[in-house]
Amino acid sequence: MKCLVKVLLAAVAGAAVGGTIRQQVESRHRGPDESTELVIAASPVGIGAGLIAGLLLKRHPLIAAFLVAANVGANVDSEAMARMAERFRSAD
């Protein structure tokens, strides 16, 4: 149980770092008149991927969870995730 909590925390931290990196890269591509507000948040997809990777790997589960979550968090398309969330809300 203790290992699960550690891996989960590493995955949350990795997803938050990945999301922050993605926002910084996207802000460089925006025009000067667009908002550059930074929101530090971990995506659920990154957390899930990091958690699974950390639980599957036995040698360095915390490093694996952090790196996988950061990678997925940096590469997830936030607009696609918003559209998918809207579909679930409209089904209610």
Side-chain angles (χ1 to χ4, degrees):
M1 185 67 174
K2 193 175 188 180
C3 180
L4 176 68
V5 172
K6 287 182 182 179
V7 171
L8 180 63
L9 289 175
V12 169
V17 168
T20 304
I21 291 170
R22 177 182 37 80
Q23 289 180 24
Q24 289 296 317
V25 170
E26 287 177 355
S27 71
R28 299 240 173 157
H29 297 303
R30 292 183 184 140
D33 59 339
E34 294 185 44
S35 174
T36 58
E37 183 177 297
L38 179 64
V39 177
I40 299 175
S43 72
V45 176
I47 295 170
L51 182 64
I52 291 170
L55 292 176
L56 289 178
L57 295 176
K58 298 295 182 195
R59 291 200 62 176
H60 301 289
L62 300 179
I63 295 172
F66 182 84
L67 292 177
V68 168
N71 186 14
V72 172
N75 291 311
V76 70
D77 185 12
S78 57
E79 290 151 6
M81 293 298 291
R83 286 192 304 267
M84 185 169 43
E86 185 62 35
R87 285 184 189 163
F88 285 120
R89 273 189 232 133
S90 64
D92 291 341

